[in-house]
Amino acid sequence: GYAWFFGRDACWSALALLAAGEFSVARQVIRFLGDRQDVTGKVLHEATTSGQFHYDAADATPLYLLLVARYLAWSGDRDFVSSVWPHVLRAHAFCLGTDADGDGLIENAGVGHGWVESGPLAGARVTLYLAAIWRAALEGLARTAEVLGEARFAAECWAQAARAGAAVEGDFYDVERGSYALDRRPDGARSWTQTALHAVPVLLGAANPVRARGFLDAVAGEGFSAPWGVRLVPTGDPH
């Protein structure tokens, strides 16, 4: 395995730690990522034990925002969140700057990979996975800003979240197929491979669970399920 620290993995793990009441460990993650934020506001993907940092993931930054928001919701620790608020604002500004086509969704293209880093499923302009995290992060930030008395920022985040939600449903869902796309490619085409990552928008409340019913039925079946867990793609998929 890798003997160093990963930004996105730390955020996902910290979300679980919050549910277990391990607030102090989640604070360490938030502080570590914020203190090592790139000058652009981007959150690191890898931090080696020798002190080298890589900022090559698109999802680490919105996941950081989501984690800060969830931390406040679970802990009520306004003082700590206030202390890292400048990092939050820089991360939010960075994410906004990655929406090159102005559709309200942050992008992978020119920014970095998401959970899928390489292989036949890579190469998207924007993935449903990334779009879902962005929408959930914005809604969480809006609530956080309200608690901190940042009314103007809260209003901006609510508006951005609504726009992102409309883009997710409008750009990624196909009525005839009855499913969400995996991603949108640089040429505008969408790819329809159904993966376990489709669980993320449902988990985060960033997609319509009724529209995702077909996926939920499929992911519970033998194609996705294995004795060791859930496959990224089902056994019948050519990938």
Side-chain angles (χ1 to χ4, degrees):
Y2 295 96
W4 55 78
F5 185 88
F6 285 82
R8 78 155 69 98
D9 305 63
C11 288
W12 278 115
S13 299
L15 290 172
L17 289 167
L18 290 176
E22 294 287 351
F23 300 153
S24 64
V25 184
R27 280 197 302 273
Q28 291 179 52
V29 171
I30 293 170
R31 180 69 74 187
F32 183 90
L33 293 175
D35 288 347
R36 289 153 184 82
Q37 196 172 24
D38 186 64
V39 67
T40 63
K42 192 176 187 180
V43 171
L44 64 87
H45 172 52
E46 298 177 0
T48 71
T49 53
S50 60
Q52 298 298 311
F53 303 101
H54 302 275
Y55 298 84
D56 48 355
D59 59 344
T61 309
L63 280 169
Y64 170 79
L65 296 174
L66 178 64
L67 175 59
V68 172
R70 291 288 175 90
Y71 172 82
L72 180 61
W74 278 96
S75 70
D77 188 353
R78 293 178 56 183
D79 290 341
F80 176 74
V81 173
S82 294
S83 73
V84 300
W85 196 242
H87 297 301
V88 170
L89 294 178
R90 287 196 290 271
H92 174 261
F94 170 81
C95 288
L96 288 179
T98 70
D99 180 12
D101 59 8
D103 66 348
L105 298 178
I106 59 176
E107 299 176 10
N108 295 84
V111 184
H113 48 68
W115 196 264
V116 174
E117 297 189 13
S118 60
L121 300 182
R125 182 178 184 86
V126 58
T127 61
L128 176 62
Y129 162 83
L130 187 67
I133 295 170
W134 176 233
R135 179 186 179 183
L138 287 169
E139 292 177 347
L141 279 182
R143 297 186 183 97
T144 302
E146 289 174 348
V147 172
L148 298 182
E150 301 284 346
R152 182 175 179 178
F153 184 70
E156 291 175 357
C157 288
W158 280 124
Q160 291 160 3
R163 190 169 180 226
V168 167
E169 297 301 325
D171 293 352
F172 285 88
Y173 186 75
D174 184 271
V175 176
E176 292 184 2
R177 293 174 182 268
S179 62
Y180 287 93
L182 173 67
D183 57 43
R184 191 173 72 239
R185 297 276 141 174
D187 62 0
R190 292 173 291 179
S191 55
W192 296 97
T193 300
Q194 297 295 288
T195 77
L197 289 174
H198 282 66
V200 172
V202 180
L203 171 71
L204 298 181
N208 187 327
V210 175
R211 287 181 162 185
R213 182 174 179 176
F215 159 74
L216 292 172
D217 289 340
V219 81
E222 294 181 356
F224 276 101
S225 298
W228 43 263
V230 179
R231 298 180 174 92
L232 180 61
V233 292
T235 52
D237 191 283
H239 293 311

